[in-house]
Amino acid sequence: MFINGEWVDARSGATFAVINPANGEHLGDVPDGAREDAELAITAADAAFHDWSMTTAYERADVLMGAWTLMRERADALAHVMTAEQGKPLRASAAEVAYGADFIRWFAEEARRLTGEWLPSARSNQRFLSVQAPVGVVAAITPWNYPMSMLTRKMAPALAAGCTVVLKPAEATPLNARAIFEVFHDAGVPPGVINMITTSQPAPIGDVLTTDPRVAKLTFTGSTAVGRVLASAAGGSLKRISVELGGHAPFIVMPDADPVHAAKGAAALKFLNAGQACISPNRIYVHQDHVEQFTATMVERVERVKTGNGSHEGIGCGPLVNDAAVAKVEAQVDDAVAKGASALVGGSRLTDGELAAGHFFAPTVLSGVTTDMAIYREETFGPVAPIIAYDDPDTVVDLANDTNYGLAAYVYTNDLSTALRTVEALRFGIIGVNDVNPTSASVPFGGMNDSGLGREGAREGLLEYLETKTAGIAI
Ligand code: NAP
């Protein structure tokens, strides 16, 4: 754990093991923090806040630029840490390191663009000034699926704003978090400004972070169920809250779209990170005129995906995070098949040879998916592409909107009017139009309804860490 600029053990001395999900290898042990450790981390962040908040934007931007440079210099080593601990193929890890680093650069640049306003008054002897100030100590809780970029997407704007941070990373990926903390520490972030508690018991740490009055803001990325609990607890002490939660993304192939192009896009997107992405398509609506060609292309692409240890050459799909994740995917596929869907490729766990030591599920294409199946409603978080044939393009957006989630959605069409009308009608925070990567540090990321509150990235991502102060000045 990292408290007040030092790597420390848990006060209790307890540790927990870190395991490679591809082969069960024991990667090491990390401190198993408890309430008292979280309280010490908050004390350090609280004590460091005054001085850090008084640094100039130029100083904070320089430190962040230094971190960006270090992250790029260490890109190869960071990608190896990620693949070993999280499982995604090395190429995907390298892409995440670059994506994660880009948040640091973006917010280093944004730090110096923090300005105020000079506002009009009805009184001739009065002037108004409006400025933005850092909120204070930020508690950040992050998931394992994007174990570096989810940290930089929170820590970089918090630091740019002048806040201090206490982070609790996911139990499955503390070594990724350690590597990111080394980057910030080596770049010159002062003691106490960033602190990290690793733990195998998240609930007591969550309780401290959401109830301690010294914490001003909670930023969380993870499941809707946990986000709801933490946001409610933080609301009790009126903390600022941003929560990035689950999704159930629709992927619509309109009648005028090229089904082969759309299928290639869907295949590339769906099996990224073995389907363990909040923006992964979970309902693929294909117009009935295209369903045969779309499905054939998808199956042909998926049959070529090699599953295995992400550190091996040519692997396209790595392991799932743990056995519970495999069991959840398996239950959804079994339920769909029992209700009439067909698994055209994949459809089961992979346990042959060296795969037996990891948590693997075969990349799967399900056809004939219908609304009564669990996969139609529940987030899968695994490598399963459910295809739904539809016949009326006028109602497909209603089908797509029929979910409590509202994170990402995709539409394939060659008609500009259809594209724009669909973007306007979809109730989702992020929409890809003929595009399977509608994300960047420069654009807002976040969802509606059960997918969360607030946005990360872009200028909006910085505003989440700022308060507005108004000064009325009599002259
Ligand atoms: P999770 O189970 O909600 O865990 C997320 C984080 O919360 C982990 O650090 C976890 O610790 C911690 N946590 C769990 N229970 C807690 C409690 N009672 N108090 C405090 N912390 C607690 O989610 P996950 O399985 O790691 O991540 C997958 C989910 O994240 C999916 O639903 C996915 O869609 C969502 N996600 C959303 C976005 C987005 O930007 N919208 C991005 C990525 C992922 P442990 O690791 O110890 O359990």
Side-chain angles (χ1 to χ4, degrees):
M1 304 192 297
F2 192 70
I3 300 179
N4 209 17
E6 286 179 12
W7 292 101
V8 295
D9 292 334
R11 297 298 114 168
S12 67
T15 60
F16 66 95
V18 187
I19 305 295
N20 182 329
N23 56 15
E25 182 193 353
H26 179 209
L27 297 172
D29 296 290
V30 297
D32 199 355
R35 299 185 77 96
E36 53 184 340
D37 302 294
E39 280 157 7
L40 285 173
I42 294 171
T43 301
D46 189 41
F49 174 68
H50 177 266
D51 286 358
W52 181 247
S53 68
M54 298 307 283
T55 54
T56 66
Y58 276 69
E59 289 170 280
R60 296 196 298 276
D62 284 350
V63 171
L64 286 169
M65 274 297 183
W68 173 64
T69 305
L70 283 179
M71 197 163 167
R72 291 199 329 154
E73 283 170 12
R74 297 177 189 179
D76 196 41
L78 292 172
H80 278 87
V81 170
M82 195 183 301
T83 293
E85 192 181 39
Q86 195 272 342
K88 66 184 69 170
L90 259 182
R91 242 177 48 178
S93 293
E96 186 185 336
V97 171
Y99 177 59
D102 204 28
F103 285 105
I104 305 180
R105 175 168 63 166
W106 174 266
F107 286 111
E109 291 163 345
E110 282 296 290
R112 289 188 299 156
R113 321 234 185 286
L114 265 178
T115 55
E117 279 186 302
W118 190 248
L119 296 156
S121 165
R123 275 169 38 204
S124 64
N125 67 344
Q126 185 187 43
R127 300 292 180 268
F128 280 119
L129 183 63
S130 169
V131 293
Q132 284 168 325
V135 294
V137 176
V138 171
I141 301 180
T142 50
W144 47 266
N145 63 337
Y146 286 89
M148 290 192 186
S149 58
M150 294 302 96
L151 274 63
T152 57
R153 200 161 81 172
K154 297 181 187 308
M155 293 172 69
L159 295 180
C163 296
T164 57
V165 177
V166 177
L167 174 91
K168 191 212 85 61
E171 180 182 345
T173 52
L175 301 181
N176 274 264
R178 185 172 78 188
I180 291 296
F181 267 68
E182 282 167 354
V183 164
F184 281 115
H185 179 56
D186 294 349
V189 174
V193 172
I194 54 170
N195 306 274
M196 173 175 71
I197 303 297
T198 48
T199 185
S200 68
Q201 301 295 322
I205 306 296
D207 186 48
V208 172
L209 296 182
T210 52
T211 56
D212 191 305
R214 295 169 296 174
V215 173
K217 177 183 169 75
L218 168 72
T219 172
F220 170 82
T221 298
S223 62
T224 299
V226 174
R228 211 186 286 282
V229 169
L230 295 176
S232 304
S237 54
L238 295 180
K239 299 192 192 314
R240 300 263 308 241
I241 296 166
S242 37
V243 286
E244 299 283 352
L245 309 176
H248 204 275
F251 186 107
I252 305 170
V253 183
M254 288 292 186
D256 63 78
D258 171 356
V260 172
H261 181 58
K264 287 179 182 170
L269 174 63
K270 178 69 232 187
F271 300 96
L272 271 182
N273 207 7
Q276 302 172 114
C278 50
I279 61 169
S280 191
N282 227 127
R283 287 169 290 145
I284 303 176
Y285 295 102
V286 185
H287 190 262
Q288 59 188 12
D289 291 351
H290 288 326
V291 83
E292 204 179 309
Q293 211 180 358
F294 180 94
T295 306
T297 307
M298 193 84 183
V299 166
E300 186 257 323
R301 306 292 279 200
V302 173
E303 275 171 342
R304 281 197 266 148
V305 174
K306 277 185 23 195
T307 302
N309 186 325
S311 64
H312 297 167
E313 193 61 32
I315 294 299
C317 187
L320 300 191
V321 62
N322 54 33
D323 201 54
V326 178
K328 182 183 171 200
V329 175
E330 187 173 47
Q332 283 195 3
V333 170
D334 289 351
D335 168 77
V337 170
K339 290 175 178 159
S342 305
L344 303 176
V345 49
S348 57
R349 289 169 184 257
L350 294 175
T351 52
D352 285 350
E354 65 172 27
L355 299 187
H359 310 293
F360 293 95
F361 197 89
T364 299
V365 176
L366 283 181
S367 71
V369 170
T370 50
T371 54
D372 56 330
M373 300 171 184
I375 201 163
Y376 192 88
R377 300 266 166 220
E378 293 169 17
E379 190 179 34
T380 304
F381 241 56
V384 183
I387 299 177
I388 303 139
Y390 73 92
D391 54 10
D392 182 359
D394 289 338
T395 57
V396 69
V397 174
D398 294 339
L399 297 177
N401 281 339
D402 182 22
T403 171
N404 291 335
Y405 291 113
L407 188 59
Y410 305 85
V411 57
Y412 270 68
T413 174
N414 283 321
D415 182 85
L416 182 61
S417 301
T418 304
L420 294 179
R421 284 183 202 290
T422 308
V423 167
E424 285 178 5
L426 283 167
R427 291 198 299 270
F428 292 82
I430 304 160
I431 301 170
V433 180
N434 302 326
D435 192 315
V436 291
N437 187 13
T439 63
S440 159
S442 60
V443 298
F445 186 106
M448 304 173 182
N449 304 325
D450 283 0
S451 290
L453 295 170
R455 293 292 180 269
E456 293 192 318
R459 176 143 187 98
E460 279 182 58
L462 185 57
L463 298 180
E464 299 280 349
Y465 297 90
L466 294 163
E467 297 276 16
T468 300
K469 274 187 186 172
T470 300
I473 307 157
I475 59 171

